Amino acid sequence: MLLTPGRDETTERAQRTAEVLKQRMRGGVLAFPLSPFTGDASGLEIEAFRRHIRGHIAAGASALFVCCGTGEFPALAEDEYAQLVAAAVEEGNGSTPIFAGVGYGWPQAVRFALIASQAGADGALVMPHYLVRAPQLGLVRHIEAIASRTELPLIVYQRGLVSYSLDSLGAIAAIPNVIGLKDGHGDLGKLQQFTAATPPEFLYFNGALTAEMQARPYSSIGIHGYSSAVHSFAPEIASAFFTAHQTGDNETVDRLLREFYSPFVELRDRQPGYAVALVKAAARIRGEDLGPVRAPLLDPTGEDLADLETIVTRGLELVGASL
């Protein structure tokens, strides 16, 4: 049965944003920039962030999602968040959609959404709420509370504590300014139910950790857009994989998965938090002055850092680039 989420009531802005995002995803990955900190992690390096954003745009990212998981949203103060979103919007200059992460309980999420809106963001990614498990109706009301207090187009993120039922997704998709779902669980059977029951304009994104590893399975059920943390330190690799995947170049996809992505995932799984810490460390290896991660995350050291450099070097060699 087709869910009818009242898309006729969707705001013009949300419709336009969804269509732009849908079109742009055909040409590149969704990029999740890092948040550069000072050497002691006590402040921001805004100029380094601006260079980082320009690098993403020059490398062809379809959209930028700033101050999200890879951008250490939970470690940012509100004034820092405001500076980062404003800088990203200025650097994007209307050429690349800019989404900002919002989260915690809905009152805090609304505050962040207001900041993002005032900074000129095109939309927001509603990250999983903090700490407690919640019933399905509570999950819906959480999104309703946020959406009713902002005009920003919203993408909801199910991961960790948040996993929507089919009925809950229908209720959330009925909210005029909710334009899509980012999935981090990888339950393809459930996702197939979702995609079959929602209208084609409702967007879906592969948001699994190191999403390239899951690109083929997600694409098999019609979810082609995905986030790429690798784009933050090796856009050459991320872009080569995207092109190979899009064009059916299975030999290149297999080689990159086997010789770069799989070793990277093995290293990522050595320590909690490495999904972010390794990305930032790899960017530093490549010469970007992005500083350390903030506690409770820890930067890799010793053997892990040496292994990371070996993996990144090999990945770049595979696509004809160098460290």
Side-chain angles (χ1 to χ4, degrees), residues 45-57 91 287-290:
E45 292 284 2
I46 289 295
E47 289 309 310
F49 181 70
R50 288 181 178 277
R51 290 192 296 271
H52 186 56
I53 292 296
R54 290 196 293 269
H56 276 293
I57 294 171
E91 295 298 333
E288 285 205 78
D289 183 19
L290 302 180

Side-chain angles (χ1 to χ4, degrees), residues 7-8 12 41 100 143-144 197 214 244 255 259 278 293 317:
R7 303 310 290 182
D8 288 345
E12 180 182 347
I143 300 300
E144 288 175 339
Q214 306 294 332
R255 186 184 306 115
E259 299 186 39
L278 287 180
V293 293
E317 288 174 351

Side-chain angles (χ1 to χ4, degrees), residues 83-102:
Q83 292 178 63
L84 291 168
V85 177
V89 170
E90 289 174 9
E91 295 298 333
N93 195 31
S95 67
T96 303
I98 306 294
F99 280 70
V102 302

Side-chain angles (χ1 to χ4, degrees), residues 13 25 41 50 58 89 108 156 162 170 247 256 316:
R13 179 180 180 180
M25 283 194 300
R50 288 181 178 277
V89 170
Q108 297 98 321
V156 296
V162 177
T247 60
L256 287 169
L316 291 168

Side-chain angles (χ1 to χ4, degrees), residues 3 17 26 70 89 101 106 118 148 152 157 165 174 176 197 200 215 232 242 246 252 268 287 301 312:
L3 298 175
T17 301
R26 295 171 180 164
T70 307
V89 170
W106 67 258
Q118 290 174 337
S148 66
L152 285 176
Y157 190 5
S165 68
S232 281
F242 177 85
Q246 289 287 98
T252 297
R268 183 201 72 195
T301 58
V312 173

Side-chain angles (χ1 to χ4, degrees), residues 69 128 157-163 182-185 207-209 275:
Y157 190 5
Q158 66 166 11
R159 178 177 168 182
L161 295 174
V162 177
S163 180
K182 181 183 179 186
D183 174 70
H185 288 301
L209 286 178

Side-chain angles (χ1 to χ4, degrees), residues 5-25:
R7 303 310 290 182
D8 288 345
E9 299 178 2
T10 303
T11 63
E12 180 182 347
R13 179 180 180 180
Q15 289 177 325
R16 183 172 63 252
T17 301
E19 183 58 30
V20 168
L21 199 52
K22 183 177 181 180
Q23 294 296 327
R24 287 187 60 86
M25 283 194 300

